[in-house]
Amino acid sequence: MFRHQGKSRTFKHNLQIATFLSFVAGIVNVTGFLSIKQLTTNVTGHFALFINDLSNFEFWKGTIYFLYIFAFLLGSFTSSFLIENFRENKKLNVFVLPTIIECIILLSIALISNFIEISQPDIIACLLLFAMGLQNSFVTKISNTVVRTTHLTGLFTDLGIELSQLFFQKSYPNRKKIKRTILLRVAIILFFFAGGLLGGFLYSKIDLKLNTLIIGALILLVGLFYDDFKYRLIMTKRKYQQRKIKRLAA
């Protein structure tokens, strides 16, 4: 689900990575909000607060919301830059790089919180927003802008549009494609919700606090290793079959 790009990428690949990453985003979203009382997977609310502070001439107060927005933007830029920089290396799965960085950020925040009291929550917010910018950027690129996993506003908008299209068969005859897209949107929403539920449960009921982010990082790592193992297994089978055909031909 991480390796296939372009024409080789199927609906199944997009569905897999969409559910997988939206689940992680749900965990990060709730954990971030419960720990520092800030939204850490999107910037829509922060932008509104930034504009509000500027309109009230509270420029210094609005600076922090600008930093939140910039952190998400920087994460998106970094992810895209790494992907484009290493794209020509065919042996390297370029989408692994931003995913590994995201894992490192989540693990670092969780582990450091066990030894140091969080006195600067704004730094945590910026780091989480940077990580979500990374994730949203690479999943957008790998799916060719079909999938986004860190926020739901656009998803609900697209879902509403696509549901309405089902009532106009003459104008939109490709109902199979519309239904598959609707399935993708619904899956992202449900898994984001499920990740949020798990994050809230682990944070509050199990009392993991910021260690809940470790679960998100582990899920990402498991997904990477599984994807790499599956890829190597397929390549090994292909090489074995090619050798077998060559022996038979000889």
Side-chain angles (χ1 to χ4, degrees), residues 111-230:
L111 294 176
I112 290 174
S113 70
N114 293 314
F115 303 99
I116 301 175
E117 185 179 354
I118 304 299
S119 58
Q120 297 295 331
D122 293 328
I123 296 177
I124 302 298
C126 286
L127 287 172
L128 290 178
L129 283 162
F130 179 85
M132 290 296 97
L134 282 168
Q135 177 176 306
N136 204 46
S137 179
F138 83 73
V139 75
T140 300
K141 291 184 74 70
I142 196 175
S143 67
N144 196 25
T145 71
V146 173
V147 178
R148 288 181 175 82
T149 59
T150 62
H151 52 280
L152 301 182
T153 306
L155 281 171
F156 275 103
T157 302
D158 293 338
L159 181 60
I161 292 171
E162 289 151 2
L163 285 171
S164 71
Q165 290 173 352
L166 292 177
F167 292 91
F168 301 94
Q169 188 170 358
K170 290 183 179 180
S171 300
Y172 303 96
N174 195 349
R175 300 174 70 80
K176 182 179 180 181
K177 181 180 179 181
I178 295 173
K179 288 180 179 179
R180 289 173 67 173
T181 307
I182 289 173
L183 174 61
L184 182 65
R185 311 287 187 209
V186 171
I188 295 173
I189 293 168
L190 290 178
F191 274 83
F192 189 93
F193 180 71
L197 283 178
L198 178 63
F201 177 78
L202 294 175
Y203 187 96
S204 301
K205 299 299 181 182
I206 307 300
D207 202 31
L208 289 183
K209 303 303 180 184
L210 279 172
N211 287 314
T212 305
L213 296 175
I214 295 176
I215 306 301
L218 290 177
I219 292 173
L220 286 173
L221 290 174
V222 168
L224 282 178
F225 283 120
Y226 169 77
D227 195 64
D228 188 62
F229 173 76
K230 187 177 179 180

Side-chain angles (χ1 to χ4, degrees), residues 29-63:
N29 186 51
V30 170
T31 303
F33 184 77
L34 291 176
S35 61
I36 58 177
K37 301 299 183 288
Q38 294 290 348
L39 298 173
T40 54
T41 58
N42 65 84
V43 296
T44 306
H46 299 315
F47 191 80
L49 292 170
F50 173 62
I51 296 300
N52 178 67
D53 289 338
L54 289 185
S55 65
N56 292 323
F57 299 101
E58 296 178 324
F59 301 110
W60 181 250
K61 183 180 178 182
T63 301

